[in-house]
Amino acid sequence: MTLSRLIARRTIEGIATLAVIAVLLFGGVELIPGDPARTILGQSVTEEAVRNLRVALRLDQPVHERFLSWVEAAAQGDLGTSILNGRPVAPDFAWRAKNTLFLAGYAAAMSIPLSIMLGLLAALYRDRLLDRAISLGSLATISFPEFFVGYVLLTVFALNLGWFPVLSSVTPEMGLAERLSRCFLPAVTLSCLIGAYVLRITRAAVVSILSRPYIEMAELKGASRTAIVLRHALVNAVGPIANVVALALAYMVVGIVVTEVVFTYPGLGQWMVDSVAKHDMNVILVCGLAFGATYVGLNVLADIAAALASPRLRHPR
Amino acid sequence: MTGFEAFGRRGLFGVGAAGLLAAGLPATARAQATPKRGGKLRIGIVGQTANTLDHTSPIFASPNERVVNYTLFNTLVEIDPTGKAIPELAESWEIGPGAKRWVFNLRKGVTFHNGKEMTADDVVFSLRRHNAEGSKSGALALMRDLEAINKTDKYQIEIIHKTGSLDIHYLMSDYHFAIVPDGDNSHKGMGTGPYVLQTWEPGVRFRGTRNANYWKSGRAHVDEVEITVVNDDAARVSALRAGEVDIINRLDPRTVRLVEAAADLKANIAKGYGFYTVNMRTDIAPFNNPDLRMAFKLATNRKELLDRILRGYGSLGNDHPIAEALPFHASLPQREMDLDKARFHFQKSGFSGTIPLHTSTAVFSSAIDMAVLMQAQAQKIGMNISVERQPPDGYWGNIWLKEPFHMSYWTGRITTDIMLSTGYASNSVWNEGHWKNPRFDELLVRARTEFDEAKRAALYAECQSLLRDDGGVMIPLFNSFIDGAKKSLGGDLTAPNMEMAGGRIAERCWLG
């Protein structure tokens, strides 16, 4: 299969996946117990207000009609408004998505090169002191829940040392330097979370390749350890590493609600969770589809990276 | 009956700016240093990601919305730091016979942020939008008994109550009833208030700058107000301790000591109107049995709940919803735990079995802990309760008022009448215990139009007593509002009606 055919096929699969996600999201929100109108009104619920709100939310219409009219509007680029505060979803989404991507990118830039390097070192010095130290350290960071890491970082570096701010609430007009400083602690928290994961997969992948016969061959012909790892082992380990990096990146885009709350960061996660709690369908659909697209897109990229690194994948027997 | 006599009884004769100021500020504030102009006030507050500036939206209710509201807008009537109604955009009011027709005289020369003068048209529009056809406003229930709101003059409106009420001026202080320009449905924060909107990012940030033409003298001392939504309790306290904000709301009772220990911080504690309640539906089994209700009321150790749930930051409840700080609070004997009497009533009820108590963190953060404590307390008289933990979303829609035995929380209401009418009369929108008592209903209606203060107090006292001894609610605790602030923050910063100086922190404080 050629590369372009691979890309085309995966893109079509991706779009189909997103369509299924949209249906599942819509159906899932419908299945949440309780009447959305009552949930939104909370303690100020009255029968008259419930009636009026149900009409405003078009809950008196059948599910499939509401879904189809959403699809129709979305196809024309209209993502609708939040049923909670009446604001158009698109600009709020764009702003929060930018924040989420910025933080994910920041954390990735910090942690992925470092953890791949440490993973390689651990593989190179397998079962020696350095390997043990790296493994122990990575196990520790992966075991602490993110809110714990976050609070410890806040207490030490923001409250006691005062090097970084407590509130990471970035604003659109904020300069890059301040933004980097405000996002530093949440980025470190996320790095702890995903770094260890990437590190361990890198180590495992390289170690398994190092036991292959062709590595033995390279050793016999007299190649140095560094050359073996970099030229022979790493290139063949790109597949699994690219996959775990893609998963880690996707995780940072969709799963950082806790980090957002601890650091008061205006990303997509908290918005999505609050919207689900209040049945804010338009927001849920847009966020959910964006999250789905992130996973699908990153997986396609990982496949392409793996194919580029290994001709065998491009030309299967 | 003229308006001046009516609110003269509430201890306010003067309505000029000087008289207003002297009456509005209690001794503590007058004793403090003179207000200082300038600077930026930074607030850390609880909000919601979908915050709104639309007063008619059903979600317009979070602390962030309330504080932003009083920063941008005024209401006809203001609640002063002692809980009294004082003139704001209405400079005086007159009450007609039977308290059915109220006339509010508007202040002249007040302008919106865009320079347009505020008149009766704006007021009528701002009020009517809450009960207009198709209204989804949280204030819909508050307006249920209002028959009409009309303009009578460029600077005068009338409000007609269906049966008469002496509390309309208090009603007009509600945050929903902020005054916006006539026909303005843009929800862009255009008001007559102390600060002008500059930045509004829902659920994240608010920024306002001082309204140079603000009509109130001796208010709005800081030049700029910045509000950051910080929903995590720990993050709010940390932001205060790190000096990133000047004041925060909802200090966790467990962290009060931590804040007080810091040299430059203090906790502003106000006994408020808010309370926790356990509802027992009186219309269905098992709590249609008054002895079973009484057994539970007597078995509860309120002092233990106060110490363990609120760490003492609150006060004991007496099974009626009228807080000590409210004008018509009746000083009935405090209900104490009495296991012997409780056992007697429990046996007399003849009940056996287990009663599920429904609760949720939606009620308040420690609601589950409180339910478990009450379960253990009731166990002492042999009353078996199982704690049913419900998910927070949907609790108010699916559990509250529906299950026979469940927990609830009220932020309280601004007057005794509004509180009792909202949650305890037979025809209440939210009749907490499904309790129907004709005598109570009759007293409540009579008190609503009783001009003699002493007689009115006696009527309300009997209402509270009836509810206490027969009602379908066990009200163990009133909570206090606890804000954390810099010591240098000046002004009278507590109020019984709401946290953050009654929501008016921006115009009442100054930076030291």
Short mmCIF file of all heavy atoms in Angstrom, two decimals, chain B residues 379-436:
data_model
loop_
_atom_site.label_atom_id
_atom_site.label_comp_id
_atom_site.label_asym_id
_atom_site.label_seq_id
_atom_site.Cartn_x
_atom_site.Cartn_y
_atom_site.Cartn_z
N GLN B 379 -29.71 6.39 65.43
CA GLN B 379 -29.52 5.00 65.83
C GLN B 379 -29.69 4.84 67.35
O GLN B 379 -30.16 3.82 67.83
CB GLN B 379 -28.12 4.56 65.39
CG GLN B 379 -27.86 3.07 65.51
CD GLN B 379 -28.74 2.28 64.53
OE1 GLN B 379 -28.75 2.57 63.35
NE2 GLN B 379 -29.49 1.33 65.05
N LYS B 380 -29.33 5.91 68.08
CA LYS B 380 -29.38 5.84 69.55
C LYS B 380 -30.78 5.65 70.09
O LYS B 380 -30.95 5.17 71.21
CB LYS B 380 -28.77 7.12 70.16
CG LYS B 380 -27.27 7.19 69.99
CD LYS B 380 -26.70 8.42 70.67
CE LYS B 380 -25.22 8.52 70.38
NZ LYS B 380 -24.71 9.86 70.62
N ILE B 381 -31.80 6.04 69.32
CA ILE B 381 -33.16 5.80 69.80
C ILE B 381 -33.77 4.62 69.05
O ILE B 381 -34.98 4.38 69.11
CB ILE B 381 -34.07 7.04 69.66
CG1 ILE B 381 -34.17 7.49 68.19
CG2 ILE B 381 -33.58 8.18 70.53
CD1 ILE B 381 -35.37 8.37 67.92
N GLY B 382 -32.94 3.91 68.32
CA GLY B 382 -33.43 2.74 67.60
C GLY B 382 -34.06 3.05 66.26
O GLY B 382 -34.69 2.20 65.66
N MET B 383 -33.87 4.30 65.80
CA MET B 383 -34.44 4.68 64.50
C MET B 383 -33.40 4.38 63.42
O MET B 383 -32.30 4.93 63.43
CB MET B 383 -34.76 6.18 64.54
CG MET B 383 -35.45 6.72 63.33
SD MET B 383 -35.93 8.44 63.70
CE MET B 383 -36.57 8.95 62.13
N ASN B 384 -33.75 3.50 62.49
CA ASN B 384 -32.79 3.08 61.46
C ASN B 384 -32.93 3.93 60.20
O ASN B 384 -33.99 3.99 59.59
CB ASN B 384 -32.99 1.61 61.10
CG ASN B 384 -32.58 0.71 62.24
OD1 ASN B 384 -31.60 0.98 62.94
ND2 ASN B 384 -33.35 -0.34 62.46
N ILE B 385 -31.82 4.57 59.84
CA ILE B 385 -31.79 5.39 58.63
C ILE B 385 -30.71 4.83 57.72
O ILE B 385 -29.63 4.48 58.19
CB ILE B 385 -31.45 6.86 58.99
CG1 ILE B 385 -32.59 7.48 59.79
CG2 ILE B 385 -31.15 7.68 57.74
CD1 ILE B 385 -32.26 8.85 60.35
N SER B 386 -30.99 4.73 56.41
CA SER B 386 -29.92 4.37 55.48
C SER B 386 -29.61 5.61 54.66
O SER B 386 -30.52 6.34 54.23
CB SER B 386 -30.35 3.22 54.59
OG SER B 386 -31.44 3.61 53.78
N VAL B 387 -28.33 5.89 54.47
CA VAL B 387 -27.93 7.08 53.72
C VAL B 387 -27.85 6.74 52.24
O VAL B 387 -27.08 5.88 51.83
CB VAL B 387 -26.58 7.61 54.23
CG1 VAL B 387 -26.09 8.77 53.36
CG2 VAL B 387 -26.69 8.04 55.69
N GLU B 388 -28.70 7.38 51.44
CA GLU B 388 -28.72 7.14 50.00
C GLU B 388 -28.01 8.29 49.31
O GLU B 388 -28.54 9.39 49.19
CB GLU B 388 -30.16 7.05 49.49
CG GLU B 388 -31.00 5.99 50.16
CD GLU B 388 -30.55 4.58 49.81
OE1 GLU B 388 -30.08 4.38 48.67
OE2 GLU B 388 -30.64 3.70 50.69
N ARG B 389 -26.82 8.01 48.82
CA ARG B 389 -26.03 9.05 48.18
C ARG B 389 -26.45 9.19 46.72
O ARG B 389 -26.37 8.24 45.95
CB ARG B 389 -24.57 8.67 48.27
CG ARG B 389 -23.67 9.73 47.77
CD ARG B 389 -22.23 9.29 47.82
NE ARG B 389 -21.44 10.37 47.30
CZ ARG B 389 -20.22 10.63 47.64
NH1 ARG B 389 -19.62 9.88 48.53
NH2 ARG B 389 -19.55 11.64 47.12
N GLN B 390 -26.89 10.36 46.33
CA GLN B 390 -27.38 10.59 44.96
C GLN B 390 -26.38 11.41 44.17
O GLN B 390 -25.68 12.24 44.73
CB GLN B 390 -28.72 11.33 44.99
CG GLN B 390 -29.81 10.60 45.73
CD GLN B 390 -30.32 9.41 44.96
OE1 GLN B 390 -29.97 9.20 43.80
NE2 GLN B 390 -31.13 8.58 45.62
N PRO B 391 -26.32 11.21 42.83
CA PRO B 391 -25.41 12.05 42.02
C PRO B 391 -25.84 13.50 42.06
O PRO B 391 -27.04 13.80 42.15
CB PRO B 391 -25.56 11.47 40.61
CG PRO B 391 -26.82 10.70 40.61
CD PRO B 391 -27.06 10.24 42.02
N PRO B 392 -24.86 14.43 42.03
CA PRO B 392 -25.21 15.85 42.18
C PRO B 392 -26.05 16.41 41.04
O PRO B 392 -26.97 17.19 41.28
CB PRO B 392 -23.85 16.55 42.25
CG PRO B 392 -22.83 15.55 41.85
CD PRO B 392 -23.41 14.19 42.00
N ASP B 393 -25.78 15.98 39.78
CA ASP B 393 -26.61 16.56 38.73
C ASP B 393 -27.96 15.86 38.75
O ASP B 393 -28.05 14.65 38.83
CB ASP B 393 -25.96 16.50 37.35
CG ASP B 393 -25.36 15.14 37.04
OD1 ASP B 393 -24.67 14.61 37.91
OD2 ASP B 393 -25.61 14.61 35.95
N GLY B 394 -28.97 16.67 38.70
CA GLY B 394 -30.31 16.10 38.73
C GLY B 394 -30.88 15.96 40.13
O GLY B 394 -32.04 15.59 40.28
N TYR B 395 -30.09 16.26 41.16
CA TYR B 395 -30.61 16.11 42.51
C TYR B 395 -31.83 17.00 42.73
O TYR B 395 -32.86 16.56 43.23
CB TYR B 395 -29.53 16.43 43.56
CG TYR B 395 -30.00 16.22 44.99
CD1 TYR B 395 -29.98 14.95 45.55
CD2 TYR B 395 -30.48 17.27 45.77
CE1 TYR B 395 -30.42 14.73 46.85
CE2 TYR B 395 -30.92 17.06 47.07
CZ TYR B 395 -30.89 15.79 47.60
OH TYR B 395 -31.33 15.57 48.88
N TRP B 396 -31.71 18.27 42.32
CA TRP B 396 -32.82 19.21 42.57
C TRP B 396 -34.03 18.87 41.72
O TRP B 396 -35.16 19.09 42.12
CB TRP B 396 -32.37 20.65 42.31
CG TRP B 396 -31.24 21.05 43.20
CD1 TRP B 396 -29.95 21.33 42.81
CD2 TRP B 396 -31.24 21.17 44.63
NE1 TRP B 396 -29.19 21.61 43.90
CE2 TRP B 396 -29.94 21.53 45.02
CE3 TRP B 396 -32.23 21.01 45.61
CZ2 TRP B 396 -29.59 21.74 46.36
CZ3 TRP B 396 -31.87 21.22 46.94
CH2 TRP B 396 -30.57 21.57 47.30
N GLY B 397 -33.79 18.30 40.54
CA GLY B 397 -34.91 17.97 39.66
C GLY B 397 -35.58 16.65 40.01
O GLY B 397 -36.79 16.49 39.84
N ASN B 398 -34.78 15.68 40.49
CA ASN B 398 -35.33 14.33 40.64
C ASN B 398 -35.59 13.90 42.08
O ASN B 398 -36.43 13.03 42.32
CB ASN B 398 -34.37 13.31 40.01
CG ASN B 398 -34.04 13.65 38.57
OD1 ASN B 398 -34.88 14.20 37.87
ND2 ASN B 398 -32.82 13.38 38.16
N ILE B 399 -34.86 14.43 43.02
CA ILE B 399 -34.94 13.95 44.41
C ILE B 399 -35.63 14.97 45.31
O ILE B 399 -36.55 14.66 46.07
CB ILE B 399 -33.52 13.67 44.96
CG1 ILE B 399 -32.74 12.73 44.03
CG2 ILE B 399 -33.61 13.13 46.39
CD1 ILE B 399 -33.29 11.34 43.94
N TRP B 400 -35.17 16.22 45.21
CA TRP B 400 -35.66 17.28 46.07
C TRP B 400 -37.18 17.43 45.94
O TRP B 400 -37.71 17.42 44.82
CB TRP B 400 -34.96 18.58 45.66
CG TRP B 400 -35.33 19.78 46.48
CD1 TRP B 400 -35.27 19.89 47.84
CD2 TRP B 400 -35.76 21.05 45.98
NE1 TRP B 400 -35.65 21.16 48.21
CE2 TRP B 400 -35.95 21.90 47.10
CE3 TRP B 400 -35.99 21.57 44.71
CZ2 TRP B 400 -36.37 23.22 46.98
CZ3 TRP B 400 -36.41 22.89 44.58
CH2 TRP B 400 -36.60 23.69 45.71
N LEU B 401 -37.85 17.51 47.06
CA LEU B 401 -39.32 17.66 47.15
C LEU B 401 -40.07 16.40 46.75
O LEU B 401 -41.29 16.33 46.87
CB LEU B 401 -39.84 18.83 46.28
CG LEU B 401 -39.26 20.21 46.56
CD1 LEU B 401 -39.86 21.23 45.60
CD2 LEU B 401 -39.53 20.64 48.00
N LYS B 402 -39.35 15.38 46.23
CA LYS B 402 -40.04 14.19 45.75
C LYS B 402 -39.93 13.03 46.74
O LYS B 402 -40.92 12.41 47.09
CB LYS B 402 -39.49 13.77 44.39
CG LYS B 402 -39.76 14.79 43.29
CD LYS B 402 -39.71 14.16 41.91
CE LYS B 402 -40.28 15.07 40.85
NZ LYS B 402 -39.32 16.04 40.34
N GLU B 403 -38.70 12.74 47.19
CA GLU B 403 -38.50 11.61 48.10
C GLU B 403 -39.10 11.92 49.47
O GLU B 403 -39.14 13.08 49.89
CB GLU B 403 -37.00 11.31 48.24
CG GLU B 403 -36.37 10.73 46.99
CD GLU B 403 -36.92 9.35 46.63
OE1 GLU B 403 -37.41 8.66 47.55
OE2 GLU B 403 -36.89 8.99 45.44
N PRO B 404 -39.53 10.91 50.20
CA PRO B 404 -40.14 11.15 51.52
C PRO B 404 -39.17 11.76 52.54
O PRO B 404 -39.58 12.45 53.46
CB PRO B 404 -40.58 9.76 51.99
CG PRO B 404 -40.40 8.84 50.86
CD PRO B 404 -39.60 9.50 49.80
N PHE B 405 -37.87 11.49 52.37
CA PHE B 405 -36.89 11.89 53.38
C PHE B 405 -35.61 12.29 52.64
O PHE B 405 -34.94 11.44 52.05
CB PHE B 405 -36.63 10.67 54.29
CG PHE B 405 -35.94 10.95 55.61
CD1 PHE B 405 -36.17 12.11 56.32
CD2 PHE B 405 -35.07 10.01 56.14
CE1 PHE B 405 -35.55 12.32 57.55
CE2 PHE B 405 -34.45 10.21 57.37
CZ PHE B 405 -34.70 11.38 58.06
N HIS B 406 -35.30 13.58 52.60
CA HIS B 406 -34.13 14.02 51.83
C HIS B 406 -33.58 15.32 52.40
O HIS B 406 -34.25 16.03 53.15
CB HIS B 406 -34.52 14.20 50.36
CG HIS B 406 -35.53 15.29 50.15
ND1 HIS B 406 -36.89 15.04 50.18
CD2 HIS B 406 -35.41 16.61 49.93
CE1 HIS B 406 -37.55 16.18 49.97
NE2 HIS B 406 -36.66 17.14 49.83
N MET B 407 -32.35 15.64 52.02
CA MET B 407 -31.71 16.86 52.52
C MET B 407 -31.79 17.99 51.51
O MET B 407 -31.91 17.78 50.31
CB MET B 407 -30.25 16.57 52.88
CG MET B 407 -30.13 15.78 54.16
SD MET B 407 -28.45 15.22 54.48
CE MET B 407 -27.66 16.77 54.84
N SER B 408 -31.69 19.21 52.03
CA SER B 408 -31.80 20.38 51.17
C SER B 408 -31.04 21.54 51.80
O SER B 408 -30.72 21.51 52.98
CB SER B 408 -33.28 20.71 50.97
OG SER B 408 -33.47 22.03 50.53
N TYR B 409 -30.76 22.54 50.98
CA TYR B 409 -30.08 23.74 51.47
C TYR B 409 -30.75 24.97 50.90
O TYR B 409 -31.17 24.98 49.75
CB TYR B 409 -28.60 23.73 51.06
CG TYR B 409 -27.89 25.03 51.37
CD1 TYR B 409 -27.58 25.36 52.69
CD2 TYR B 409 -27.57 25.94 50.37
CE1 TYR B 409 -26.97 26.56 52.99
CE2 TYR B 409 -26.96 27.15 50.67
CZ TYR B 409 -26.67 27.45 51.98
OH TYR B 409 -26.07 28.66 52.29
N TRP B 410 -30.86 26.00 51.71
CA TRP B 410 -31.40 27.29 51.24
C TRP B 410 -30.40 28.39 51.56
O TRP B 410 -29.86 28.43 52.66
CB TRP B 410 -32.71 27.61 51.96
CG TRP B 410 -33.88 26.81 51.50
CD1 TRP B 410 -34.13 25.50 51.82
CD2 TRP B 410 -34.95 27.24 50.67
NE1 TRP B 410 -35.29 25.09 51.23
CE2 TRP B 410 -35.82 26.15 50.52
CE3 TRP B 410 -35.26 28.45 50.05
CZ2 TRP B 410 -36.99 26.22 49.76
CZ3 TRP B 410 -36.42 28.52 49.29
CH2 TRP B 410 -37.27 27.42 49.15
N THR B 411 -30.20 29.30 50.62
CA THR B 411 -29.38 30.47 50.92
C THR B 411 -30.18 31.46 51.76
O THR B 411 -29.67 32.47 52.19
CB THR B 411 -28.92 31.19 49.64
OG1 THR B 411 -30.06 31.35 48.80
CG2 THR B 411 -27.87 30.40 48.91
N GLY B 412 -31.43 31.13 52.00
CA GLY B 412 -32.28 32.02 52.78
C GLY B 412 -32.94 33.04 51.89
O GLY B 412 -32.66 33.15 50.71
N ARG B 413 -33.88 33.76 52.47
CA ARG B 413 -34.56 34.81 51.73
C ARG B 413 -34.48 36.09 52.54
O ARG B 413 -34.23 36.08 53.73
CB ARG B 413 -36.02 34.42 51.46
CG ARG B 413 -36.16 33.29 50.45
CD ARG B 413 -35.72 33.71 49.04
NE ARG B 413 -35.94 32.68 48.04
CZ ARG B 413 -35.06 31.74 47.71
NH1 ARG B 413 -33.89 31.67 48.34
NH2 ARG B 413 -35.32 30.86 46.77
N ILE B 414 -34.74 37.18 51.85
CA ILE B 414 -34.43 38.49 52.41
C ILE B 414 -35.41 38.93 53.51
O ILE B 414 -35.09 39.77 54.32
CB ILE B 414 -34.34 39.50 51.24
CG1 ILE B 414 -33.69 40.80 51.67
CG2 ILE B 414 -35.66 39.74 50.59
CD1 ILE B 414 -32.22 40.68 51.80
N THR B 415 -36.62 38.35 53.55
CA THR B 415 -37.54 38.67 54.64
C THR B 415 -38.21 37.39 55.15
O THR B 415 -38.23 36.37 54.46
CB THR B 415 -38.68 39.62 54.19
OG1 THR B 415 -39.53 38.91 53.30
CG2 THR B 415 -38.16 40.87 53.52
N THR B 416 -38.76 37.52 56.33
CA THR B 416 -39.47 36.40 56.94
C THR B 416 -40.64 35.96 56.07
O THR B 416 -40.85 34.77 55.84
CB THR B 416 -39.97 36.82 58.33
OG1 THR B 416 -38.82 37.08 59.13
CG2 THR B 416 -40.80 35.74 58.99
N ASP B 417 -41.37 36.94 55.52
CA ASP B 417 -42.52 36.57 54.69
C ASP B 417 -42.10 35.80 53.45
O ASP B 417 -42.68 34.76 53.13
CB ASP B 417 -43.30 37.82 54.26
CG ASP B 417 -44.41 37.45 53.28
OD1 ASP B 417 -45.28 36.66 53.66
OD2 ASP B 417 -44.37 37.90 52.12
N ILE B 418 -41.06 36.30 52.75
CA ILE B 418 -40.66 35.64 51.51
C ILE B 418 -40.18 34.22 51.82
O ILE B 418 -40.53 33.27 51.12
CB ILE B 418 -39.58 36.46 50.77
CG1 ILE B 418 -40.14 37.83 50.39
CG2 ILE B 418 -39.11 35.72 49.52
CD1 ILE B 418 -39.13 38.78 49.79
N MET B 419 -39.44 34.06 52.91
CA MET B 419 -38.94 32.74 53.28
C MET B 419 -40.08 31.77 53.57
O MET B 419 -40.14 30.67 53.03
CB MET B 419 -38.03 32.87 54.50
CG MET B 419 -37.31 31.58 54.87
SD MET B 419 -36.06 31.14 53.65
CE MET B 419 -36.77 29.68 52.93
N LEU B 420 -41.01 32.20 54.42
CA LEU B 420 -42.11 31.30 54.80
C LEU B 420 -43.03 31.03 53.62
O LEU B 420 -43.50 29.91 53.43
CB LEU B 420 -42.89 31.89 55.97
CG LEU B 420 -42.14 32.03 57.30
CD1 LEU B 420 -43.01 32.68 58.37
CD2 LEU B 420 -41.62 30.68 57.79
N SER B 421 -43.30 32.06 52.81
CA SER B 421 -44.21 31.87 51.68
C SER B 421 -43.59 30.99 50.60
O SER B 421 -44.30 30.30 49.87
CB SER B 421 -44.57 33.21 51.02
OG SER B 421 -44.92 34.14 51.98
N THR B 422 -42.26 31.06 50.47
CA THR B 422 -41.61 30.32 49.39
C THR B 422 -41.51 28.84 49.68
O THR B 422 -41.62 28.02 48.78
CB THR B 422 -40.19 30.88 49.16
OG1 THR B 422 -40.26 32.28 49.07
CG2 THR B 422 -39.59 30.34 47.89
N GLY B 423 -41.31 28.49 50.96
CA GLY B 423 -41.01 27.08 51.23
C GLY B 423 -41.93 26.36 52.19
O GLY B 423 -41.76 25.16 52.41
N TYR B 424 -42.94 27.05 52.80
CA TYR B 424 -43.63 26.38 53.90
C TYR B 424 -45.15 26.53 53.90
O TYR B 424 -45.83 25.81 54.63
CB TYR B 424 -43.02 26.84 55.23
CG TYR B 424 -41.54 26.57 55.22
CD1 TYR B 424 -40.64 27.52 54.76
CD2 TYR B 424 -41.06 25.32 55.56
CE1 TYR B 424 -39.28 27.23 54.66
CE2 TYR B 424 -39.71 25.01 55.47
CZ TYR B 424 -38.84 25.98 55.01
OH TYR B 424 -37.51 25.68 54.89
N ALA B 425 -45.68 27.45 53.09
CA ALA B 425 -47.13 27.58 53.05
C ALA B 425 -47.72 26.48 52.17
O ALA B 425 -47.02 25.90 51.33
CB ALA B 425 -47.51 28.96 52.50
N SER B 426 -49.00 26.19 52.34
CA SER B 426 -49.64 25.12 51.56
C SER B 426 -49.45 25.30 50.07
O SER B 426 -49.27 24.35 49.33
CB SER B 426 -51.14 25.08 51.87
OG SER B 426 -51.34 24.93 53.23
N ASN B 427 -49.52 26.59 49.63
CA ASN B 427 -49.44 26.84 48.18
C ASN B 427 -48.05 27.27 47.74
O ASN B 427 -47.87 27.85 46.69
CB ASN B 427 -50.47 27.91 47.79
CG ASN B 427 -50.19 29.24 48.47
OD1 ASN B 427 -49.33 29.32 49.36
ND2 ASN B 427 -50.89 30.28 48.05
N SER B 428 -47.05 26.99 48.55
CA SER B 428 -45.68 27.38 48.20
C SER B 428 -45.24 26.67 46.92
O SER B 428 -45.62 25.52 46.68
CB SER B 428 -44.70 26.99 49.30
OG SER B 428 -44.82 27.85 50.39
N VAL B 429 -44.41 27.36 46.14
CA VAL B 429 -43.86 26.74 44.94
C VAL B 429 -42.99 25.55 45.35
O VAL B 429 -42.98 24.51 44.71
CB VAL B 429 -43.01 27.76 44.16
CG1 VAL B 429 -42.57 27.16 42.84
CG2 VAL B 429 -43.77 29.03 43.92
N TRP B 430 -42.23 25.74 46.41
CA TRP B 430 -41.35 24.68 46.88
C TRP B 430 -41.69 24.33 48.32
O TRP B 430 -40.96 24.68 49.25
CB TRP B 430 -39.88 25.12 46.78
CG TRP B 430 -39.52 25.57 45.41
CD1 TRP B 430 -39.50 24.82 44.28
CD2 TRP B 430 -39.12 26.89 45.00
NE1 TRP B 430 -39.12 25.57 43.20
CE2 TRP B 430 -38.88 26.84 43.61
CE3 TRP B 430 -38.96 28.11 45.66
CZ2 TRP B 430 -38.47 27.96 42.87
CZ3 TRP B 430 -38.54 29.21 44.94
CH2 TRP B 430 -38.32 29.12 43.55
N ASN B 431 -42.80 23.66 48.54
CA ASN B 431 -43.22 23.31 49.89
C ASN B 431 -42.37 22.14 50.37
O ASN B 431 -42.61 20.99 50.03
CB ASN B 431 -44.72 22.95 49.88
CG ASN B 431 -45.24 22.71 51.28
OD1 ASN B 431 -44.48 22.50 52.22
ND2 ASN B 431 -46.55 22.76 51.44
N GLU B 432 -41.38 22.47 51.16
CA GLU B 432 -40.32 21.51 51.49
C GLU B 432 -40.83 20.22 52.13
O GLU B 432 -40.37 19.15 51.80
CB GLU B 432 -39.29 22.18 52.39
CG GLU B 432 -38.46 23.20 51.64
CD GLU B 432 -37.00 22.82 51.58
OE1 GLU B 432 -36.35 22.87 52.62
OE2 GLU B 432 -36.51 22.47 50.50
N GLY B 433 -41.74 20.32 53.07
CA GLY B 433 -42.21 19.10 53.74
C GLY B 433 -43.60 18.67 53.28
O GLY B 433 -44.21 17.82 53.90
N HIS B 434 -44.07 19.28 52.16
CA HIS B 434 -45.45 19.06 51.71
C HIS B 434 -46.41 19.23 52.90
O HIS B 434 -47.33 18.47 53.08
CB HIS B 434 -45.61 17.67 51.09
CG HIS B 434 -44.88 17.52 49.79
ND1 HIS B 434 -45.50 17.43 48.59
CD2 HIS B 434 -43.56 17.50 49.51
CE1 HIS B 434 -44.59 17.33 47.61
NE2 HIS B 434 -43.42 17.36 48.16
N TRP B 435 -46.12 20.26 53.68
CA TRP B 435 -46.84 20.48 54.94
C TRP B 435 -47.99 21.44 54.68
O TRP B 435 -47.78 22.48 54.04
CB TRP B 435 -45.84 21.07 55.94
CG TRP B 435 -46.35 21.31 57.32
CD1 TRP B 435 -46.78 20.37 58.20
CD2 TRP B 435 -46.42 22.57 58.00
NE1 TRP B 435 -47.11 20.97 59.39
CE2 TRP B 435 -46.91 22.31 59.30
CE3 TRP B 435 -46.11 23.90 57.64
CZ2 TRP B 435 -47.09 23.32 60.25
CZ3 TRP B 435 -46.29 24.90 58.58
CH2 TRP B 435 -46.79 24.60 59.87
N LYS B 436 -49.17 21.08 55.14
CA LYS B 436 -50.32 21.96 54.93
C LYS B 436 -50.97 22.23 56.27
O LYS B 436 -51.49 21.32 56.91
CB LYS B 436 -51.32 21.31 53.96
CG LYS B 436 -50.72 21.18 52.58
CD LYS B 436 -51.77 20.96 51.50
CE LYS B 436 -51.22 21.30 50.15
NZ LYS B 436 -50.87 20.15 49.33
#
